Amino acid sequence: SLYYPSIVLYFSKRFRILTKPSFQYKTFGRHRPQVTRQSSPPESTMSSSRIEYSEKYADEENEYRHVILPKELAKELPKHRLLSESEWRRIGVQQSLGWQHYAIHRPEPHILLFRRPLGTDPQTGQIDPELKRLALEEYKGQFGLRGN
């Protein structure tokens, strides 16, 4: 029997991956080919592609963002503790370095709340005093707090 390679089309756009089901064709002598459907990508891959990220917002000390997980993915998470960086990266959350899961919003446990100190270098995760000064100036400028 002959086996043709399965056809899988992945189309990636920002945070979304669309998949086309793959098929495998078998031929048996002079008979018509049979079509067998292969398994689709793992559910965790599909769920992590549906993660939504908020814009960043800030106060005088930290910048913040929240991440909205698909509810079926959130059901697998621990309910009564914060996630370590390796845990939230393992489930598919993608952010630059320095972010910390800092709170659980009990009414909506599928929303993860993150923060990092102002002036954190996204490449190293370390606080850069010059970046901190610039971020604080920008924050104060937005709210008319210059000179305070």
Side-chain angles (χ1 to χ4, degrees), residues 14 23 55-59 73 82 93 121:
R14 199 157 183 170
F23 297 95
E55 294 293 321
K56 296 176 198 168
Y57 43 100
D59 63 14
L73 183 60
L82 299 175
V93 175
D121 183 338

Side-chain angles (χ1 to χ4, degrees), residues 1-3 25-29:
S1 64
L2 264 185
Y3 290 92
Y25 297 91
K26 298 180 186 177
T27 58
F28 299 99

Side-chain angles (χ1 to χ4, degrees), residues 121-133:
D121 183 338
Q123 301 295 318
T124 65
Q126 303 298 314
I127 299 172
D128 179 336
E130 181 62 18
L131 288 176
K132 184 174 183 171
R133 185 185 66 74

Side-chain angles (χ1 to χ4, degrees), residues 58-62 64 118 132 136 139-140 145 148:
D59 63 14
E60 290 183 349
E61 297 176 17
N62 295 297
Y64 302 89
L118 281 180
K132 184 174 183 171
L136 193 54
Y139 170 76
K140 287 181 177 181
L145 302 173
N148 292 343

Side-chain angles (χ1 to χ4, degrees), residues 18-58:
L18 304 175
T19 61
K20 182 176 181 180
S22 59
F23 297 95
Q24 190 171 43
Y25 297 91
K26 298 180 186 177
T27 58
F28 299 99
R30 293 179 288 170
H31 300 286
R32 286 181 57 178
Q34 291 180 333
V35 178
T36 57
R37 188 181 200 114
Q38 292 182 339
S39 62
S40 58
E43 186 61 33
S44 62
T45 303
M46 295 303 287
S47 294
S48 65
S49 67
R50 295 187 357 243
I51 295 173
E52 297 179 33
Y53 300 82
S54 75
E55 294 293 321
K56 296 176 198 168
Y57 43 100

